[in-house]
Amino acid sequence: MTSTEHGTTAGSETSRIHNIGYRSYDGPRLGRGYARRSLYSQSLRGSFGLGRSAKSKVLPMLLLGVMCMVAAIIVAVAIATPGSTALPIKYTAFAIYLQAVIGLFLAAQAPQSVSRDLRFRSIPLYFSRPIERVDYVVAKLAAMASALLIITGMPLVILYAGALLGKFDFADQTKGFGQGMVSVALLSVLFAALGLVVAALTPRRGFGVAAVIAVLTISYGAVSVVQSIAWETGSAGAVEWLGLFSPITLISGLQTAFLGANSAFPGGEDLGAGVGMVYLIVVLALVAGSYAVLMRRYRKVGL
């Protein structure tokens, strides 16, 4: 017997095929729709720490509690004030005043939603299932927008319920509540799109948190300062156009133009319908552009 033959014989003697009981799956194939809904549900729950460790629940639940507590305090003050016939602030102003809390929530949860998948290289595993790149991007965007809508919408529900309990004018409160919900819905979609784009650019969660805070805070601070300078130097016409360069001022200007909100810009002048349309176009362009950037990003990392 040759050495080759001997090696072949030895190899065949040491080789074994073990039956460990796996069986083929004959049940229903739920497909892309189910996978997309599951990814959306898992991402939304993860934004509030549900299904994760107790430590992961602390910050999002704390921020949600702060938003709701502020709304409850406003309602209590309005009801306790003799002769009060309305809430002390408009529904559209609440999210603008609490923008720091909203920004912190987004900065903490946007990287958690996408950065871990990038860091641990699990994106190809998603795409090996009956799910495509568009499903992943849409599910993540929808989940983050829904999470932001919860944290911004629940306080408005508390304000509305409190106003009705205080027997304030039903028609005025209902109109204001509807305008406020439209405002926070636009804010949620815009912030979710921008936050996920920034977070998806790095697998490092810490860098993602800092970058999201910088995009929201620095842009707002810079625009507000330049707007004030323009107003003080007699360039009032530039104030409304400068608002196009920050996510917060974009939403503020948009709701001033179309949703009956008081202007938060220096001088307090309302935006006309023409300028408001420009604001709306910019918001839609930012959302569409963010979606395109995310699709391009996951075309590279999904291989």
Side-chain angles (χ1 to χ4, degrees):
M1 180 181 293
T2 63
S3 59
T4 303
E5 293 173 342
H6 178 75
T8 303
T9 303
S12 62
E13 289 178 351
T14 57
S15 299
R16 296 289 187 273
I17 299 177
H18 298 277
N19 181 2
I20 58 177
Y22 286 133
R23 294 184 298 176
S24 60
Y25 177 72
D26 297 324
R29 301 290 179 177
L30 299 177
R32 286 176 58 190
Y34 180 81
R36 185 168 53 245
R37 290 191 300 271
S38 298
L39 181 58
Y40 165 80
S41 175
Q42 180 265 337
S43 300
L44 177 57
R45 286 168 52 83
S47 296
F48 293 96
L50 303 178
R52 300 168 57 202
S53 65
K55 183 175 66 174
S56 302
K57 298 177 177 66
V58 173
L59 182 60
M61 292 301 181
L62 177 62
L63 296 177
L64 178 60
V66 168
M67 297 284 288
C68 293
M69 182 178 66
V70 172
I73 292 173
I74 291 173
V75 167
V77 170
I79 294 177
T81 302
S84 177
T85 59
L87 295 172
I89 66 170
K90 287 189 173 184
Y91 293 92
T92 49
F94 187 85
I96 303 300
Y97 289 150
L98 274 294
Q99 59 179 282
V101 180
I102 300 169
L104 184 57
F105 178 86
L106 178 65
Q109 302 310 316
Q112 180 274 328
S113 181
V114 295
S115 295
R116 293 197 307 168
D117 290 342
L118 294 170
R119 183 176 182 182
F120 297 112
R121 305 177 186 272
S122 58
I123 299 297
L125 297 179
Y126 283 107
F127 297 162
S128 67
R129 302 295 188 268
I131 188 172
E132 297 184 3
R133 180 162 41 97
V134 63
D135 300 318
Y136 182 89
V137 172
V138 169
K140 289 293 184 177
L141 273 173
M144 184 52 60
S146 298
L148 287 170
L149 186 58
I150 290 172
I151 198 173
T152 56
M154 281 187 65
L156 299 190
V157 173
I158 294 173
L159 290 175
Y160 182 61
L164 296 184
L165 289 174
K167 298 182 179 181
F168 299 156
D169 186 80
F170 177 80
D172 288 345
Q173 295 303 317
T174 302
K175 179 182 178 181
F177 174 69
Q179 292 172 334
M181 289 302 295
V182 172
S183 174
V184 296
L186 290 170
L187 181 148
S188 299
V189 173
L190 177 61
F191 277 33
L194 295 176
L196 288 183
V197 165
V198 173
L201 296 178
T202 174
R204 298 288 185 178
R205 183 178 179 183
F207 292 161
V209 170
V212 173
I213 292 176
V215 167
L216 296 180
T217 304
I218 293 178
S219 64
Y220 174 70
V223 167
S224 298
V225 169
V226 177
Q227 281 181 322
S228 297
I229 293 174
W231 175 259
E232 294 294 336
T233 56
S235 302
V239 171
E240 58 189 17
W241 298 110
L242 289 169
L244 296 171
F245 297 96
S246 164
I248 291 290
T249 53
L250 268 173
I251 297 300
S252 179
L254 193 60
Q255 66 182 17
T256 300
F258 297 118
L259 299 174
N262 295 328
S263 176
F265 293 169
E269 296 184 5
D270 293 339
L271 275 66
V275 179
M277 284 301 300
V278 175
Y279 272 65
L280 180 59
I281 291 171
V282 172
V283 168
L284 296 177
L286 284 173
V287 173
S290 298
Y291 171 79
V293 171
L294 286 171
M295 290 291 288
R296 183 177 179 84
R297 171 64 169 157
Y298 286 106
R299 180 184 296 125
K300 295 181 178 180
V301 300
L303 299 178

